[in-house]
Amino acid sequence: MPTVDVDPDDLRDLTGHEEKSDDDLRADLFELGLEYEGETEEGLRFEFEPDRLDRLSVEGVARSLRYQYGDDRGVYVPPTNDPEWTISVEDVPDERPYVTGAVVRGLDLDEATLDSLIQLQEKLHATMGRKRAKGAIGVHDLTMLKGESIAADEGDDSESGAPTDGEKQITYTGVAPDGDRFVPLEGDAELTPGEVITDHHIGQEYASLVADMDRVPAIYDAIGLFSFPPVVNGRRTEVTTESRDLFIEMTGTDQWTIDRMLAIVCYALSARGGTIESVRVEYEDAPDEYPAELVRPDFETTTKTVSHERIETTLGVGLAEDRVIDLLERSGLDATVSDGEYTVAIPPYRVDVRHPVDVVDDVGRAYGFNDLDSRYPDVSTIGGRHDRSRLEEAVRTALVGHGFQDLLNFHLTSEADVLDRMDLAPDDEAFGAHSPACVKNPYSEAYTVVRTWLLPSIVQVFENNTHRRYPQDLAEVGFVAHRDDDRTTRVAESHHVAGALARHDASYEDAKSRLQALVADFGGELATPPIDHPSFLDGRVAAVEIDGERVGVIGELHPAVLVEHDLEVPVAAFEFDLAAL
């Protein structure tokens, strides 16, 4: 788990509690979930859960303590001045297309403050930045940059207006490895980017991040190349204790990630007395989900909703609504309540709040977990299987009894496999046609989404077993999910039952007879009114209705689907929601 080194004197100064002893600080931080690991040359070392990345610096730890002490309340958003600098994104390498930035003015950097900034930078690299692969931070002395002057544009496609006269511009672009030269940090000779990754010790450490690029990322000002992200900055803009104004740039593979990293750094420097100034980002080829111009840093808050009942049930304590709001404000959040439902505002540095249970956790920590009264449960029970798990096992047993072989496939697949190869589109009004929940940082292109229905997984098994003897009768009871923005988690989850028959004489009637028997085993009443479905043959497909509720589909797979999967025998299949039984 991540650790943070904290100078206790610095922490007392930032919190305004000079009376706190080291033992007091250790005890208070333990209440926040930071466990004391020992002493280092820099001070006290604490370990904490990897979700609270805003605590990777003494400034973030001090902020949490001030909320815990009740000195600060609610969401704080640092004031931000209008932009005077623009980052122009032109002809950037496809492997690293995103950039963000901010200016921080009026800092008084002593050795301790500079060490804290470097620690935060490197620990963000190691965590959110995935060792700089997903996001890398460059911090520069602003006085050493010379921006190109840009004139105001009559157009206005940005988040807060077009550039004004006098704004200065730097450029994020790509350069050949043997292109322009610069002096890297901890170097004394001009090198090309290619020479940096072969001859410079920092370049050698991060060479793998750019080794396969034909053109590597580079940032220029009016003087020339001054940053080679994600590898190393130039020596010309090195930050020292004499620096007062900083330019912060971050590049990466995901805009959301580098924007959140930037927010964490800006909040830390704001706590040191810095004044935040926006930076305009202009994309020559804007990403689909963002406008052509952005103004950063992004300090917009997000919201989560959680019920009063859930808070009390999870914590096991009765709380008045005004008490809950007080605890949320002491956690650095804002909240309003209506009809027992809290709408909670989350500050931009809290990258850990992804689910209502995270809000409940904050309420518990502000209340004090040690202050919760221990009690025995009202009902003594013996651990056992969940009712749904029992039903799944019963259905699997019944399917095996009806001649199927039981499968257990991966929940993750690709959008092409779950939709395109089944002749489906996300906006089709057909069973299984949903927008899938996507993995933001997939390990493989074969596993980028959570499957929306089971049959594509079974058909892939048929595809991989064409060398096996027929008939092949396969079934699965498994997890599926799809995007649903009306839900708090924005994902709808369920469990389905699917069966498929692959043989030379497989027909709709064969699949229906198996389905009829399965439904009868559980006392249900089956109906199969005809419908249209892109994955199935016209006239040989029907809806599955159990006890009057439409819950699935049954039919013979369309020849186009069979050809797509290199299948030479017919396939008849069914799938429905497990909860219908």
Side-chain angles (χ1 to χ4, degrees):
M1 290 197 296
T3 60
V4 58
D5 294 331
V6 173
D7 181 340
D9 291 332
D10 202 13
L11 187 58
R12 279 185 279 265
D13 182 57
L14 287 168
T15 59
H17 285 267
E18 300 291 341
E19 78 283 359
K20 293 284 186 178
S21 67
D22 288 1
D23 288 340
D24 291 335
L25 292 175
R26 282 192 285 265
D28 294 340
L29 289 174
F30 184 79
E31 290 289 320
L32 290 173
L34 286 83
E35 296 189 21
Y36 176 65
E37 288 289 298
E39 294 190 18
T40 66
E41 293 181 0
E42 291 77 20
L44 308 179
R45 174 165 292 178
F46 294 90
E47 182 182 71
F48 58 95
E49 293 295 332
D51 55 345
R52 286 304 301 268
L53 300 182
D54 57 298
R55 293 173 176 168
L56 286 172
S57 67
V58 64
E59 296 86 4
V61 174
R63 184 190 314 115
S64 294
L65 278 177
R66 286 185 60 81
Y67 280 123
Q68 186 76 350
Y69 295 152
D71 298 331
D72 293 332
R73 303 181 65 84
V75 173
Y76 170 72
V77 177
T80 306
N81 292 338
D82 293 336
E84 294 185 10
W85 286 79
T86 294
I87 302 175
S88 177
V89 184
E90 304 172 3
D91 198 20
V92 70
D94 293 337
E95 298 88 345
R96 205 171 187 87
Y98 298 101
V99 66
T100 192
V103 169
V104 183
R105 299 184 185 271
L107 289 167
D108 184 10
L109 294 178
D110 56 17
E111 289 293 344
T113 305
L114 187 56
D115 288 344
S116 178
L117 175 60
I118 294 172
Q119 175 184 227
L120 177 59
Q121 179 181 7
E122 291 308 313
K123 288 186 179 294
L124 281 175
H125 280 159
T127 51
M128 285 190 77
R130 300 292 191 269
K131 298 182 178 180
R132 304 194 188 187
K134 195 173 183 180
I137 306 167
V139 183
H140 309 272
D141 188 329
L142 183 65
T143 61
M144 302 306 296
L145 291 177
K146 182 178 181 181
E148 298 181 36
S149 296
I150 56 176
D153 189 347
E154 293 180 2
D156 184 358
D157 188 31
S158 71
E159 293 178 346
S160 67
T164 59
D165 285 324
E167 281 194 27
K168 289 163 282 189
Q169 176 178 290
I170 63 173
T171 302
Y172 176 45
T173 185
V175 64
D178 59 352
D180 294 328
R181 311 176 76 87
F182 74 114
V183 180
L185 277 176
E186 301 181 21
D188 53 14
E190 286 191 340
L191 302 174
T192 66
E195 290 169 341
V196 167
I197 62 178
T198 58
D199 302 338
H200 191 280
H201 68 281
I202 298 177
Q204 292 167 352
E205 182 176 357
Y206 297 103
S208 61
L209 299 178
V210 296
D212 297 330
M213 296 184 185
D214 296 329
R215 297 167 59 258
V216 298
I219 305 180
Y220 289 79
D221 66 355
I223 298 175
L225 176 63
F226 71 89
S227 181
F228 173 25
V231 179
V232 67
N233 294 339
R235 182 175 174 180
R236 167 162 61 95
T237 60
E238 181 178 4
V239 176
T240 69
T241 54
E242 301 300 317
S243 303
R244 293 294 175 264
D245 301 333
L246 305 182
F247 189 98
I248 304 166
E249 45 82 8
M250 301 188 188
T251 64
T253 59
D254 175 70
Q255 187 77 47
W256 184 91
T257 298
I258 57 176
D259 281 341
R260 299 286 77 75
M261 292 169 67
L262 180 64
I264 291 172
V265 172
C266 286
Y267 267 82
L269 293 176
S270 175
R272 292 291 187 176
T275 300
I276 311 299
E277 180 182 297
S278 297
V279 166
R280 196 183 309 277
V281 179
E282 295 183 347
Y283 282 104
E284 180 182 58
D285 185 12
D288 292 338
E289 64 272 33
Y290 294 98
E293 295 185 11
L294 305 175
V295 175
R296 293 297 186 257
D298 180 9
F299 287 157
E300 184 177 354
T301 60
T302 57
T303 60
K304 295 291 178 185
T305 59
V306 61
S307 68
H308 188 83
E309 179 184 10
R310 182 168 192 175
I311 293 173
E312 290 189 330
T313 301
T314 303
L315 298 179
V317 62
L319 296 169
E321 289 182 346
D322 58 350
R323 174 65 166 150
V324 172
I325 291 178
D326 172 70
L327 295 172
L328 288 169
E329 289 178 348
R330 284 184 53 205
S331 302
L333 313 176
D334 282 336
T336 58
V337 61
S338 177
D339 298 328
E341 193 87 3
Y342 296 91
T343 300
V344 184
I346 315 298
Y349 61 84
R350 288 294 303 274
V351 298
D352 59 301
V353 182
R354 310 299 295 273
H355 190 276
V357 74
D358 298 317
V359 176
V360 178
D361 180 73
D362 274 12
V363 174
R365 291 193 182 278
Y367 182 89
F369 286 136
N370 289 338
D371 294 331
L372 296 174
D373 294 329
S374 59
R375 58 182 175 82
Y376 287 103
D378 294 334
V379 179
S380 179
T381 60
I382 298 174
R385 299 184 68 172
H386 191 278
D387 288 342
R388 191 196 67 230
S389 177
R390 293 177 183 274
L391 178 59
E392 289 178 0
E393 185 64 25
V395 172
R396 288 192 179 97
T397 301
L399 287 166
V400 171
H402 291 301
F404 287 100
Q405 182 177 349
D406 187 34
L407 296 179
L408 183 61
N409 284 307
F410 291 130
H411 297 165
L412 297 182
T413 182
S414 70
E415 187 167 354
D417 285 331
V418 80
L419 293 174
D420 298 344
R421 301 185 71 203
M422 298 299 290
D423 203 21
L424 278 181
D427 55 354
D428 286 342
E429 294 185 3
F431 186 85
H434 299 285
S435 295
C438 300
V439 180
K440 294 202 69 171
N441 189 24
Y443 174 77
S444 164
E445 291 184 358
Y447 306 108
T448 58
V449 303
V450 182
R451 60 185 179 178
T452 59
W453 58 321
L454 301 181
L455 281 181
S457 299
I458 297 178
V459 175
Q460 283 182 267
V461 175
F462 286 144
E463 181 180 16
N464 294 329
N465 286 275
T466 54
H467 60 291
R468 299 287 185 181
R469 180 184 301 174
Y470 290 99
Q472 296 178 21
D473 300 344
L474 305 179
E476 182 176 4
V477 181
F479 174 82
V480 298
H482 65 269
R483 287 285 304 274
D484 185 349
D485 291 337
D486 292 334
R487 306 214 178 189
T488 301
T489 60
R490 294 183 174 85
V491 175
E493 303 176 0
S494 58
H495 289 73
H496 283 189
V497 180
L501 313 169
R503 55 181 70 194
H504 74 281
D505 59 351
S507 67
Y508 171 88
E509 289 76 17
D510 293 328
K512 183 175 178 179
S513 65
R514 304 280 187 102
L515 177 61
Q516 185 83 54
L518 177 64
V519 174
D521 287 343
F522 292 87
E525 183 177 338
L526 176 68
T528 54
I531 59 170
D532 293 326
H533 193 293
S535 301
F536 295 88
L537 192 61
D538 291 344
R540 304 292 288 172
V541 58
V544 174
E545 294 184 356
I546 299 178
D547 296 333
E549 182 180 358
R550 183 164 294 189
V551 293
V553 66
I554 181 173
E556 298 176 15
L557 287 186
H558 197 283
V561 175
L562 299 179
V563 171
E564 173 64 30
H565 292 85
D566 296 327
L567 300 178
E568 298 180 355
V569 298
V571 175
F574 61 82
E575 181 171 341
F576 63 92
D577 194 328
L578 172 69
L581 292 178

